[in-house]
Structure formats: structure tokens, C-alpha cells
Amino acid sequence: MSEERLRVSRREVLKGAAGAAAWLGVPAAARAEGEERAPSWPGIRRLGPGPTPLSFRLNGEAVTIEVTPRTTLLDALRGPLGLTGAKRACDRGACGACTVWIDGRTANACTVLALDVDGLAVTTVEGLSSGNALHPVQEAFVAQDALMCGFCTPGMVMSCAKLVERGAVDEESLREGLSGNLCRCGAYPHIFRACQEAQR
Amino acid sequence: MSGVIDEVLRPADLAQALALLAEGGGRRRPIAGGTDLLVQAKEPGAPPRGLVDLWGLDELRGITAEPDRIVVGANTTMTEVLASELLRAEARCLWDGCYEAGSVQIRNRATLGGNAANASPAADSVLGLIALGAEARIASVRGERRLPVEELATAPRRTALAPDELILAFSFPRAGGRSAFARLGQRRAQAISKVSCAIHAQLDDQGCVQAARVAFGAVAPRVVRSPGAEAALRGHSLTDPSARAAAAVAARADTAPIDDLRSTRAYRSEMVGVLLTRLLVRLAGEA
């Protein structure tokens, strides 16, 4: 076994050590309680049925709205929150038009329950620019003419900004990293150029 | 709008999650990243359900290297698998399966436990787990048990899990050897596999296969092993053309693909042999 592998293993051991304890057995509390009575454990949050308050950070600001348990994050954004940047196209996680960041990671807002972002930070394309100052990726999209119909653009920009942030703008990384964002107009060459320009 | 979800229950720890599932009497389902479940929930006709939300349970997340085994928590996302040099080095068939699955957005949410519990015959991360000889650690308020991953799914969308049971983690031996995964779909990314294959092989000093585990996806009602291909490879060099041919023939005999919206029986059957051969070439270091 190589040095490198050993070193990595130790790091992963440390990272996973806390979690590992839980896998060694079912916690005693769970085993002691029977199926007959409904447990009233402190900490369980029962959300719904019906409208339920939801609080999270949206584009840097604290928001609280009411949603039903079945509401997706995309529906919450486009409905009560009035942010229509994230687009609904496939509504099944296949096209990426609704891409947002949840705690800094891209996600398809159509396949995340709104209640699942309770307490988390969500960034939409509306939060990417500050005032009238566009994000460098948005600037590059304009400069490189990286869109035609523009419907995929908000989601595309959210994925591109993450790739640029990671410096993953070589052809292979862009192909792989944007494979979840469909552009039916086929503007990919310009989109790729925009990412590379934004990186500079 | 996901029409069938009427309640979301958020436990603070594993014990609460198990209690909530037990209390639900089969009407509740665990949800992790939701990438599959929320798509299914939008289909009409499903009964109302409560969801037990596991996303916040960090105790089910993480990759642990024990001396003889690697343990991967059920809540570990595919993105987290890809960030692990340990898994890339020692569980390449699992790593590759996660690399080829979905898109960045999906891999950021999709968990190994969810992919397995969803019981899709095409589940990309499940093949690698089976090839590695992984077992699932399963718990309920009634206790804990272990099950080989290949016995987890019983049919499309059906598992051997009782309604109150939860997958905690997957664990597989650090057996050394070489492994690989490949799949075919409508396009390289995002598309659900038409055919997929994973292999793990232990080699002796002469490069002969001591033991092999071969799994196929999307060519049976669940992800399946091919005992015939495994037997055909045993004792032969990875480069032996007749062993490769025999393994391909045996693999076709062990799988039962169907015509569906994604592909045809004839194409899938042909590709079972082609994918296995490609992986043998890759493992032999020829490509």
C-alpha cells in the first residue's frame, strides 16, 4: 500500500470516526421503545399536513414563509417568494433549468422539498449579482453571447459559477460539470468560452 | 408539486428516525436527497405518505477505513464518494459508478442508501457495491441485521427491507484486487443506464483470476450477479481470449433483458458481453 493511500486513509478515518459509532449498533433508546406507543422524543419536528412555517437564508437574507409539505423548493421560490429566475422545465431533475445552490452546492430545486432547506442557505440566480453589478460569469455570458433563447441561462450560470469557482474550466471539466444543464439551442461552445473568460 | 406527500418528519438522530418509521406502520418512507423519490412522488396514483427526512442525520454520513473493511454511511452522497481518494484507490467500481451517474446537481443530493433502497434495476452505485462484496447494515427498532447488497432489491422498486427498516451503512472488505465499472445510456451523462457492468477481480502473482465478482444493471428485474461469468474467469488470465469469450457468453445466459422505453432486449443482450469484455480489457491494463 502506498504512502499516499495510507495518508488518505487516516484522514478519512478521522473524518468518519464520529459517524462510525452509530453504525456499531442501534442506539439503546430506539431498542427499548416498542412499536405500540407513539414516541414523543424531543427534537422530532413534525411538519404538516397543511401549511407549515419554513425559515431559511435566501440570497443572504433571512426569510420565513408557509408551505405545505409537498411543496418543492422550486415551487416555493417561484410562488410565494416571487423569484422566477430558477425555471421549471422538466420538473424531474433532468434539465438543470432550476439549478440553485443549497449551502453552496448545486441542486435541482424541482427535486428538493422546500421544507428540506429549513435553516440552510439557498442562493438563486437573483442572488448572484450584487445590485446592478453582474457576477463575472454573467458578464462573460453577455460578452461571449453565451445564450440564444435564454431559458437555460439562469440554471446554467449557477452551475458555471461553481465550476469557475473551482477553476474547473478545461474542456473535459466543463463537459462533465455542465452535463446536468441542457441547452436545447446548443450554445455550449459559447458557454464554455464564457466560463474560460470568467476564470481569467 | 409532489401530490402524495402530506407530512414531513424530521428526526434529530437515528433513534428518532427508527422510531418514526416504526410508528408509521408502513405509511412512511425515508427520504434522503430525494432525487428519485420526488420524481416518483409527482406521478399520479400513489397513496399519501409521510416522509422521514434523513438528510440532516450526519451520523449516517461518511467514509471510514477500518483495518480490514471500508464502511460507507448510507447518507453519503455520490459527490462525497467522488471526493474520496480512498474509494477511488480501493473501490474503483463504486467510484466510477458514482462518476457516471446523473449530473453534478444529482450527485450532490443522491445518496448511496437512497440509490440502493430505491431498488432500480439500473442503480449505478449498486453494481460496484455488489462487485465489492458489500453488505448492508440495516436497523429498525427491533434490532440490527446485515444483508448482502445483492439481496437488498427483490424486484423493480421492491426491497427486502421491512417498512420500519433503514439502511445505515455499506461495508465491504479491503480485499485488494482490481475493479471497474462501465455503462451505456442514451448519452454519457444524466441518462439512466441501458446496460451497466461492474467487476472486481483478485489476481494471483501470474495475473490469473483467483476470484471475480461480476454485476450487471438494467438487464434483469434487479441488479444481478453473473455466477457463470465469475466461474468462467476463475483460474484464467485477464488477457486470455477464450476465457473472455466464455465469460461473455455466460453473462448473457445469466441475464434476462427486456424491451422497454430505453432500449431493446437484443441490444442489451449483445452489450452485456461487450461491456464485460471492455472491463476485462481495462482491468488487464490494455486500455
Side-chain angles (χ1 to χ4, degrees):
Chain A
M1 183 174 290
S2 69
E3 262 312 293
E4 163 71 4
R5 211 181 293 178
L6 279 171
R7 188 179 59 76
V8 169
S9 306
R10 275 196 298 273
R11 192 180 65 215
E12 310 239 3
V13 167
L14 289 174
K15 202 174 84 182
W23 303 332
L24 299 177
V26 181
R31 211 179 284 124
E33 301 296 332
E35 293 180 34
E36 312 83 53
R37 78 176 186 83
S40 53
W41 316 77
I44 292 182
R45 298 190 57 202
R46 292 168 189 269
L47 310 171
T52 303
L54 161 69
S55 299
F56 63 105
R57 292 196 75 78
L58 177 59
N59 297 328
E61 289 180 21
V63 295
T64 299
I65 55 169
E66 281 204 337
V67 295
T68 56
R70 68 193 61 177
T71 307
T72 63
L73 176 59
L74 181 61
D75 287 332
L77 290 171
R78 295 181 58 86
L81 292 163
L83 296 182
T84 54
K87 297 288 183 267
R88 189 212 313 265
C90 74
D91 207 26
R92 51 192 301 122
C95 76
C98 65
T99 302
V100 298
W101 301 343
I102 301 173
D103 275 357
R105 286 200 159 158
T106 55
N108 294 312
C110 70
T111 47
V112 176
L113 286 178
L115 288 175
D116 232 2
V117 302
D118 192 69
L120 305 183
V122 174
T123 306
T124 69
V125 71
E126 288 90 346
L128 206 55
S129 51
S130 50
N132 287 330
L134 295 181
H135 185 278
V137 167
Q138 292 173 310
E139 295 273 15
F141 263 61
V142 175
Q144 291 295 332
D145 197 15
L147 56 132
M148 289 178 75
C149 84
F151 201 79
C152 74
T153 308
M156 193 68 82
V157 164
M158 296 306 282
S159 284
C160 289
K162 278 291 153 193
L163 292 172
V164 169
E165 183 184 305
R166 280 177 31 217
V169 295
D170 59 284
E171 170 102 8
E172 175 64 24
S173 300
L174 288 170
R175 278 178 178 278
E176 158 50 34
L178 295 177
S179 63
N181 291 82
L182 297 187
C183 170
R184 304 316 297 265
C185 303
Y188 292 106
H190 291 228
I191 292 167
F192 287 11
R193 275 208 298 269
C195 290
Q196 286 159 353
E197 180 183 293
Q199 176 73 18
R200 293 191 293 268
Chain B
M1 191 67 97
S2 0
V4 297
I5 298 157
D6 60 359
E7 192 181 25
V8 175
L9 300 147
R10 183 160 303 145
D13 58 32
L14 174 62
Q16 291 176 359
L18 296 178
L20 285 168
L21 285 174
E23 169 194 279
R27 216 189 63 84
R28 288 186 185 152
R29 262 186 92 166
I31 181 171
T35 51
D36 271 315
L37 205 154
L38 288 184
V39 173
Q40 291 166 35
K42 291 175 191 189
E43 286 158 13
R49 276 185 188 279
L51 296 180
V52 177
D53 185 356
L54 309 175
W55 188 249
L57 297 186
D58 286 341
E59 61 197 295
L60 298 183
R61 219 179 281 275
I63 299 154
T64 312
E66 296 172 358
D68 303 327
R69 300 184 76 81
I70 292 174
V71 182
V72 185
N75 254 4
T76 306
T77 64
M78 292 182 174
T79 294
E80 287 161 347
V81 168
L82 295 182
S84 167
E85 285 298 327
L86 173 72
L87 293 182
R88 189 166 196 267
E90 296 192 33
R92 188 58 189 255
C93 54
L94 172 63
W95 195 93
D96 279 345
C98 291
Y99 182 77
E100 302 252 346
S103 61
V104 177
Q105 293 94 317
I106 292 188
R107 294 193 295 264
N108 282 343
R109 302 281 304 178
T111 66
L112 294 194
N115 202 206
N118 188 45
S120 161
D124 287 322
S125 69
V126 171
L127 277 76
L129 289 172
I130 291 175
L132 291 163
E135 60 178 23
R137 296 184 183 175
I138 297 164
S140 70
V141 293
R142 295 171 287 121
E144 186 177 333
R145 65 178 175 129
R146 296 173 183 218
L147 195 66
V149 174
E150 66 231 55
E151 292 173 28
L152 205 49
T154 54
R157 310 273 174 233
R158 295 279 179 275
T159 68
L161 295 171
D164 64 344
E165 283 185 320
L166 200 59
I167 304 172
L168 304 185
F170 301 99
S171 152
F172 50 87
R174 302 180 76 173
R178 302 180 191 176
S179 75
F181 168 93
R183 54 169 244 165
L184 294 167
Q186 192 64 33
R187 64 186 189 109
R188 279 285 305 280
Q190 188 75 308
I192 292 170
S193 295
K194 294 179 177 187
V195 194
S196 51
C197 179
I199 179 170
H200 178 269
Q202 303 273 16
L203 305 180
D204 66 17
D205 296 341
Q206 277 73 48
C208 285
V209 176
Q210 285 179 315
R213 293 172 64 93
V214 178
F216 288 98
V219 288
R222 56 180 184 167
V223 179
V224 289
R225 276 176 72 181
S226 172
E230 293 170 4
L233 293 169
R234 205 170 300 130
H236 296 277
S237 163
L238 284 172
T239 57
D240 179 346
S242 59
R244 283 180 183 174
V249 169
R252 284 199 199 97
D254 281 342
T255 50
I258 56 168
D259 294 321
D260 66 11
L261 76 168
R262 270 184 282 281
S263 188
T264 64
R265 178 177 182 277
Y267 176 78
R268 284 174 156 139
S269 184
E270 191 67 26
M271 290 306 114
V272 161
V274 169
L275 275 188
L276 178 57
T277 308
R278 283 186 193 169
L279 289 184
L280 292 171
V281 168
R282 201 191 292 172
L283 283 199
E286 293 169 12

PDB file of all heavy atoms in Angstrom, chain B residues 5 7 13 15 17 21 27 55 115-116 127 148 167 176 190 199 202-203 209 226 233 250 262 269-270 274 279:
ATOM      1  N   ILE B   5     -47.301  13.699  -0.814  1.00  0.00           N
ATOM      2  CA  ILE B   5     -46.603  13.865   0.455  1.00  0.00           C
ATOM      3  C   ILE B   5     -47.452  14.741   1.371  1.00  0.00           C
ATOM      4  O   ILE B   5     -47.759  15.875   1.024  1.00  0.00           O
ATOM      5  CB  ILE B   5     -45.224  14.512   0.238  1.00  0.00           C
ATOM      6  CG1 ILE B   5     -44.368  13.587  -0.624  1.00  0.00           C
ATOM      7  CG2 ILE B   5     -44.546  14.819   1.563  1.00  0.00           C
ATOM      8  CD1 ILE B   5     -43.266  14.291  -1.357  1.00  0.00           C
ATOM      9  N   GLU B   7     -46.889  14.830   4.939  1.00  0.00           N
ATOM     10  CA  GLU B   7     -46.247  15.084   6.224  1.00  0.00           C
ATOM     11  C   GLU B   7     -44.741  14.864   6.069  1.00  0.00           C
ATOM     12  O   GLU B   7     -44.309  13.907   5.429  1.00  0.00           O
ATOM     13  CB  GLU B   7     -46.800  14.098   7.262  1.00  0.00           C
ATOM     14  CG  GLU B   7     -46.452  14.410   8.677  1.00  0.00           C
ATOM     15  CD  GLU B   7     -47.036  13.365   9.643  1.00  0.00           C
ATOM     16  OE1 GLU B   7     -47.275  12.218   9.227  1.00  0.00           O
ATOM     17  OE2 GLU B   7     -47.221  13.707  10.810  1.00  0.00           O
ATOM     18  N   ASP B  13     -31.967  12.458  15.376  1.00  0.00           N
ATOM     19  CA  ASP B  13     -30.924  11.423  15.382  1.00  0.00           C
ATOM     20  C   ASP B  13     -31.497  10.110  14.860  1.00  0.00           C
ATOM     21  O   ASP B  13     -32.687  10.013  14.566  1.00  0.00           O
ATOM     22  CB  ASP B  13     -30.322  11.256  16.787  1.00  0.00           C
ATOM     23  CG  ASP B  13     -31.376  10.890  17.838  1.00  0.00           C
ATOM     24  OD1 ASP B  13     -32.356  10.201  17.487  1.00  0.00           O
ATOM     25  OD2 ASP B  13     -31.214  11.296  19.003  1.00  0.00           O
ATOM     26  N   ALA B  15     -32.034   7.217  16.311  1.00  0.00           N
ATOM     27  CA  ALA B  15     -33.034   6.566  17.159  1.00  0.00           C
ATOM     28  C   ALA B  15     -34.426   7.132  16.863  1.00  0.00           C
ATOM     29  O   ALA B  15     -35.410   6.394  16.758  1.00  0.00           O
ATOM     30  CB  ALA B  15     -32.680   6.766  18.634  1.00  0.00           C
ATOM     31  N   ALA B  17     -35.350   8.551  14.068  1.00  0.00           N
ATOM     32  CA  ALA B  17     -35.734   8.143  12.718  1.00  0.00           C
ATOM     33  C   ALA B  17     -36.345   6.747  12.730  1.00  0.00           C
ATOM     34  O   ALA B  17     -37.391   6.497  12.112  1.00  0.00           O
ATOM     35  CB  ALA B  17     -34.525   8.188  11.794  1.00  0.00           C
ATOM     36  N   LEU B  21     -40.263   5.588  11.839  1.00  0.00           N
ATOM     37  CA  LEU B  21     -40.607   4.576  10.834  1.00  0.00           C
ATOM     38  C   LEU B  21     -41.472   3.490  11.456  1.00  0.00           C
ATOM     39  O   LEU B  21     -42.449   3.028  10.857  1.00  0.00           O
ATOM     40  CB  LEU B  21     -39.340   3.968  10.224  1.00  0.00           C
ATOM     41  CG  LEU B  21     -38.589   4.857   9.230  1.00  0.00           C
ATOM     42  CD1 LEU B  21     -37.277   4.186   8.823  1.00  0.00           C
ATOM     43  CD2 LEU B  21     -39.437   5.149   7.998  1.00  0.00           C
ATOM     44  N   ARG B  27     -46.739   3.375   6.337  1.00  0.00           N
ATOM     45  CA  ARG B  27     -47.235   4.512   5.582  1.00  0.00           C
ATOM     46  C   ARG B  27     -46.158   5.595   5.408  1.00  0.00           C
ATOM     47  O   ARG B  27     -46.373   6.596   4.748  1.00  0.00           O
ATOM     48  CB  ARG B  27     -48.464   5.104   6.286  1.00  0.00           C
ATOM     49  CG  ARG B  27     -49.548   5.641   5.366  1.00  0.00           C
ATOM     50  CD  ARG B  27     -50.610   6.385   6.157  1.00  0.00           C
ATOM     51  NE  ARG B  27     -50.090   7.558   6.839  1.00  0.00           N
ATOM     52  CZ  ARG B  27     -49.939   8.752   6.262  1.00  0.00           C
ATOM     53  NH1 ARG B  27     -50.257   8.921   5.006  1.00  0.00           N
ATOM     54  NH2 ARG B  27     -49.452   9.769   6.948  1.00  0.00           N
ATOM     55  N   TRP B  55     -31.952  13.592   5.736  1.00  0.00           N
ATOM     56  CA  TRP B  55     -30.877  14.423   5.176  1.00  0.00           C
ATOM     57  C   TRP B  55     -29.977  15.022   6.258  1.00  0.00           C
ATOM     58  O   TRP B  55     -28.783  15.159   6.079  1.00  0.00           O
ATOM     59  CB  TRP B  55     -31.483  15.521   4.300  1.00  0.00           C
ATOM     60  CG  TRP B  55     -30.463  16.298   3.533  1.00  0.00           C
ATOM     61  CD1 TRP B  55     -30.108  17.588   3.730  1.00  0.00           C
ATOM     62  CD2 TRP B  55     -29.649  15.835   2.434  1.00  0.00           C
ATOM     63  NE1 TRP B  55     -29.141  17.962   2.830  1.00  0.00           N
ATOM     64  CE2 TRP B  55     -28.837  16.907   2.027  1.00  0.00           C
ATOM     65  CE3 TRP B  55     -29.535  14.607   1.763  1.00  0.00           C
ATOM     66  CZ2 TRP B  55     -27.921  16.800   0.979  1.00  0.00           C
ATOM     67  CZ3 TRP B  55     -28.617  14.504   0.721  1.00  0.00           C
ATOM     68  CH2 TRP B  55     -27.829  15.584   0.348  1.00  0.00           C
ATOM     69  N   ASN B 115     -29.976   5.279  -3.319  1.00  0.00           N
ATOM     70  CA  ASN B 115     -29.862   4.585  -4.603  1.00  0.00           C
ATOM     71  C   ASN B 115     -30.179   3.094  -4.435  1.00  0.00           C
ATOM     72  O   ASN B 115     -30.871   2.494  -5.259  1.00  0.00           O
ATOM     73  CB  ASN B 115     -28.449   4.781  -5.164  1.00  0.00           C
ATOM     74  CG  ASN B 115     -28.349   4.589  -6.679  1.00  0.00           C
ATOM     75  OD1 ASN B 115     -27.307   4.246  -7.194  1.00  0.00           O
ATOM     76  ND2 ASN B 115     -29.422   4.807  -7.418  1.00  0.00           N
ATOM     77  N   ALA B 116     -29.704   2.504  -3.340  1.00  0.00           N
ATOM     78  CA  ALA B 116     -29.948   1.081  -3.099  1.00  0.00           C
ATOM     79  C   ALA B 116     -31.408   0.828  -2.702  1.00  0.00           C
ATOM     80  O   ALA B 116     -32.055  -0.081  -3.215  1.00  0.00           O
ATOM     81  CB  ALA B 116     -29.008   0.555  -2.019  1.00  0.00           C
ATOM     82  N   LEU B 127     -24.116  -1.540  -8.408  1.00  0.00           N
ATOM     83  CA  LEU B 127     -23.290  -2.563  -9.060  1.00  0.00           C
ATOM     84  C   LEU B 127     -21.923  -2.678  -8.396  1.00  0.00           C
ATOM     85  O   LEU B 127     -21.432  -3.770  -8.144  1.00  0.00           O
ATOM     86  CB  LEU B 127     -23.091  -2.231 -10.549  1.00  0.00           C
ATOM     87  CG  LEU B 127     -24.199  -2.640 -11.509  1.00  0.00           C
ATOM     88  CD1 LEU B 127     -25.366  -1.691 -11.379  1.00  0.00           C
ATOM     89  CD2 LEU B 127     -23.701  -2.686 -12.931  1.00  0.00           C
ATOM     90  N   PRO B 148     -26.375  -9.106   2.329  1.00  0.00           N
ATOM     91  CA  PRO B 148     -25.557  -8.801   1.146  1.00  0.00           C
ATOM     92  C   PRO B 148     -26.324  -7.833   0.246  1.00  0.00           C
ATOM     93  O   PRO B 148     -27.541  -7.971   0.083  1.00  0.00           O
ATOM     94  CB  PRO B 148     -25.401 -10.167   0.469  1.00  0.00           C
ATOM     95  CG  PRO B 148     -25.655 -11.179   1.540  1.00  0.00           C
ATOM     96  CD  PRO B 148     -26.636 -10.546   2.482  1.00  0.00           C
ATOM     97  N   ILE B 167     -31.478   1.491   5.996  1.00  0.00           N
ATOM     98  CA  ILE B 167     -30.085   1.127   5.727  1.00  0.00           C
ATOM     99  C   ILE B 167     -29.189   2.136   6.445  1.00  0.00           C
ATOM    100  O   ILE B 167     -29.354   3.345   6.277  1.00  0.00           O
ATOM    101  CB  ILE B 167     -29.775   1.159   4.219  1.00  0.00           C
ATOM    102  CG1 ILE B 167     -30.721   0.245   3.442  1.00  0.00           C
ATOM    103  CG2 ILE B 167     -28.320   0.758   3.966  1.00  0.00           C
ATOM    104  CD1 ILE B 167     -30.601   0.375   1.936  1.00  0.00           C
ATOM    105  N   GLY B 176      -8.148  -5.726  -1.798  1.00  0.00           N
ATOM    106  CA  GLY B 176      -7.176  -5.503  -2.864  1.00  0.00           C
ATOM    107  C   GLY B 176      -7.810  -5.831  -4.198  1.00  0.00           C
ATOM    108  O   GLY B 176      -9.029  -5.723  -4.366  1.00  0.00           O
ATOM    109  N   GLN B 190     -26.212  11.791 -17.188  1.00  0.00           N
ATOM    110  CA  GLN B 190     -27.606  12.023 -16.837  1.00  0.00           C
ATOM    111  C   GLN B 190     -28.541  10.872 -17.185  1.00  0.00           C
ATOM    112  O   GLN B 190     -29.369  10.496 -16.397  1.00  0.00           O
ATOM    113  CB  GLN B 190     -28.092  13.315 -17.528  1.00  0.00           C
ATOM    114  CG  GLN B 190     -29.442  13.799 -17.116  1.00  0.00           C
ATOM    115  CD  GLN B 190     -29.398  14.448 -15.748  1.00  0.00           C
ATOM    116  OE1 GLN B 190     -28.906  13.861 -14.822  1.00  0.00           O
ATOM    117  NE2 GLN B 190     -29.894  15.654 -15.623  1.00  0.00           N
ATOM    118  N   ILE B 199     -17.113  -5.027 -12.228  1.00  0.00           N
ATOM    119  CA  ILE B 199     -16.351  -6.247 -11.934  1.00  0.00           C
ATOM    120  C   ILE B 199     -15.299  -5.950 -10.875  1.00  0.00           C
ATOM    121  O   ILE B 199     -14.737  -4.846 -10.841  1.00  0.00           O
ATOM    122  CB  ILE B 199     -15.680  -6.825 -13.205  1.00  0.00           C
ATOM    123  CG1 ILE B 199     -14.880  -8.083 -12.875  1.00  0.00           C
ATOM    124  CG2 ILE B 199     -14.804  -5.774 -13.882  1.00  0.00           C
ATOM    125  CD1 ILE B 199     -14.391  -8.828 -14.105  1.00  0.00           C
ATOM    126  N   GLN B 202      -9.730 -10.546  -8.060  1.00  0.00           N
ATOM    127  CA  GLN B 202      -8.492 -10.792  -7.306  1.00  0.00           C
ATOM    128  C   GLN B 202      -7.563 -11.556  -8.229  1.00  0.00           C
ATOM    129  O   GLN B 202      -7.964 -12.562  -8.809  1.00  0.00           O
ATOM    130  CB  GLN B 202      -8.772 -11.694  -6.093  1.00  0.00           C
ATOM    131  CG  GLN B 202      -9.809 -11.176  -5.154  1.00  0.00           C
ATOM    132  CD  GLN B 202      -9.204 -10.247  -4.128  1.00  0.00           C
ATOM    133  OE1 GLN B 202      -8.085  -9.767  -4.308  1.00  0.00           O
ATOM    134  NE2 GLN B 202      -9.941  -9.979  -3.078  1.00  0.00           N
ATOM    135  N   LEU B 203      -6.327 -11.082  -8.345  1.00  0.00           N
ATOM    136  CA  LEU B 203      -5.388 -11.740  -9.238  1.00  0.00           C
ATOM    137  C   LEU B 203      -4.256 -12.380  -8.429  1.00  0.00           C
ATOM    138  O   LEU B 203      -3.868 -11.865  -7.383  1.00  0.00           O
ATOM    139  CB  LEU B 203      -4.788 -10.717 -10.213  1.00  0.00           C
ATOM    140  CG  LEU B 203      -5.785  -9.904 -11.027  1.00  0.00           C
ATOM    141  CD1 LEU B 203      -5.043  -8.933 -11.935  1.00  0.00           C
ATOM    142  CD2 LEU B 203      -6.685 -10.811 -11.844  1.00  0.00           C
ATOM    143  N   VAL B 209      -6.950 -14.895 -12.534  1.00  0.00           N
ATOM    144  CA  VAL B 209      -8.065 -14.523 -11.675  1.00  0.00           C
ATOM    145  C   VAL B 209      -8.265 -15.582 -10.601  1.00  0.00           C
ATOM    146  O   VAL B 209      -8.515 -16.745 -10.920  1.00  0.00           O
ATOM    147  CB  VAL B 209      -9.361 -14.363 -12.508  1.00  0.00           C
ATOM    148  CG1 VAL B 209     -10.546 -14.079 -11.596  1.00  0.00           C
ATOM    149  CG2 VAL B 209      -9.187 -13.262 -13.542  1.00  0.00           C
ATOM    150  N   SER B 226     -23.445 -12.336 -12.083  1.00  0.00           N
ATOM    151  CA  SER B 226     -23.369 -13.390 -13.089  1.00  0.00           C
ATOM    152  C   SER B 226     -22.415 -14.473 -12.604  1.00  0.00           C
ATOM    153  O   SER B 226     -21.204 -14.407 -12.829  1.00  0.00           O
ATOM    154  CB  SER B 226     -22.868 -12.826 -14.421  1.00  0.00           C
ATOM    155  OG  SER B 226     -22.617 -13.905 -15.318  1.00  0.00           O
ATOM    156  N   LEU B 233     -14.154 -16.931 -15.538  1.00  0.00           N
ATOM    157  CA  LEU B 233     -12.911 -16.166 -15.417  1.00  0.00           C
ATOM    158  C   LEU B 233     -11.919 -16.805 -14.453  1.00  0.00           C
ATOM    159  O   LEU B 233     -10.709 -16.613 -14.567  1.00  0.00           O
ATOM    160  CB  LEU B 233     -13.222 -14.741 -14.946  1.00  0.00           C
ATOM    161  CG  LEU B 233     -13.988 -13.875 -15.937  1.00  0.00           C
ATOM    162  CD1 LEU B 233     -14.465 -12.585 -15.276  1.00  0.00           C
ATOM    163  CD2 LEU B 233     -13.113 -13.552 -17.150  1.00  0.00           C
ATOM    164  N   ALA B 250     -21.416 -16.627 -20.900  1.00  0.00           N
ATOM    165  CA  ALA B 250     -22.047 -16.980 -19.630  1.00  0.00           C
ATOM    166  C   ALA B 250     -22.846 -15.802 -19.070  1.00  0.00           C
ATOM    167  O   ALA B 250     -23.926 -15.987 -18.498  1.00  0.00           O
ATOM    168  CB  ALA B 250     -20.986 -17.420 -18.630  1.00  0.00           C
ATOM    169  N   ARG B 262     -36.225   2.484 -22.900  1.00  0.00           N
ATOM    170  CA  ARG B 262     -34.840   2.917 -23.028  1.00  0.00           C
ATOM    171  C   ARG B 262     -34.029   2.109 -24.030  1.00  0.00           C
ATOM    172  O   ARG B 262     -33.074   2.607 -24.602  1.00  0.00           O
ATOM    173  CB  ARG B 262     -34.141   2.878 -21.668  1.00  0.00           C
ATOM    174  CG  ARG B 262     -34.276   4.181 -20.911  1.00  0.00           C
ATOM    175  CD  ARG B 262     -33.511   4.177 -19.620  1.00  0.00           C
ATOM    176  NE  ARG B 262     -34.196   3.455 -18.571  1.00  0.00           N
ATOM    177  CZ  ARG B 262     -35.206   3.941 -17.868  1.00  0.00           C
ATOM    178  NH1 ARG B 262     -35.648   5.150 -18.126  1.00  0.00           N
ATOM    179  NH2 ARG B 262     -35.787   3.225 -16.928  1.00  0.00           N
ATOM    180  N   SER B 269     -28.706  -7.509 -24.628  1.00  0.00           N
ATOM    181  CA  SER B 269     -28.079  -8.822 -24.511  1.00  0.00           C
ATOM    182  C   SER B 269     -26.698  -8.800 -25.164  1.00  0.00           C
ATOM    183  O   SER B 269     -25.720  -9.316 -24.619  1.00  0.00           O
ATOM    184  CB  SER B 269     -28.983  -9.877 -25.156  1.00  0.00           C
ATOM    185  OG  SER B 269     -28.429 -11.155 -24.971  1.00  0.00           O
ATOM    186  N   GLU B 270     -26.626  -8.174 -26.338  1.00  0.00           N
ATOM    187  CA  GLU B 270     -25.340  -8.052 -27.028  1.00  0.00           C
ATOM    188  C   GLU B 270     -24.345  -7.253 -26.164  1.00  0.00           C
ATOM    189  O   GLU B 270     -23.184  -7.614 -26.010  1.00  0.00           O
ATOM    190  CB  GLU B 270     -25.577  -7.344 -28.368  1.00  0.00           C
ATOM    191  CG  GLU B 270     -24.389  -7.371 -29.311  1.00  0.00           C
ATOM    192  CD  GLU B 270     -24.058  -8.774 -29.811  1.00  0.00           C
ATOM    193  OE1 GLU B 270     -24.964  -9.629 -29.846  1.00  0.00           O
ATOM    194  OE2 GLU B 270     -22.879  -9.002 -30.139  1.00  0.00           O
ATOM    195  N   VAL B 274     -20.320  -7.202 -24.495  1.00  0.00           N
ATOM    196  CA  VAL B 274     -19.388  -6.153 -24.921  1.00  0.00           C
ATOM    197  C   VAL B 274     -18.842  -5.389 -23.715  1.00  0.00           C
ATOM    198  O   VAL B 274     -17.633  -5.156 -23.594  1.00  0.00           O
ATOM    199  CB  VAL B 274     -20.087  -5.194 -25.907  1.00  0.00           C
ATOM    200  CG1 VAL B 274     -19.233  -3.956 -26.159  1.00  0.00           C
ATOM    201  CG2 VAL B 274     -20.388  -5.918 -27.223  1.00  0.00           C
ATOM    202  N   LEU B 279     -14.447  -4.185 -19.857  1.00  0.00           N
ATOM    203  CA  LEU B 279     -13.926  -4.062 -18.487  1.00  0.00           C
ATOM    204  C   LEU B 279     -12.739  -4.997 -18.263  1.00  0.00           C
ATOM    205  O   LEU B 279     -11.791  -4.651 -17.562  1.00  0.00           O
ATOM    206  CB  LEU B 279     -15.031  -4.330 -17.472  1.00  0.00           C
ATOM    207  CG  LEU B 279     -16.100  -3.247 -17.374  1.00  0.00           C
ATOM    208  CD1 LEU B 279     -17.084  -3.566 -16.267  1.00  0.00           C
ATOM    209  CD2 LEU B 279     -15.479  -1.883 -17.145  1.00  0.00           C
TER     210      LEU B 279
END
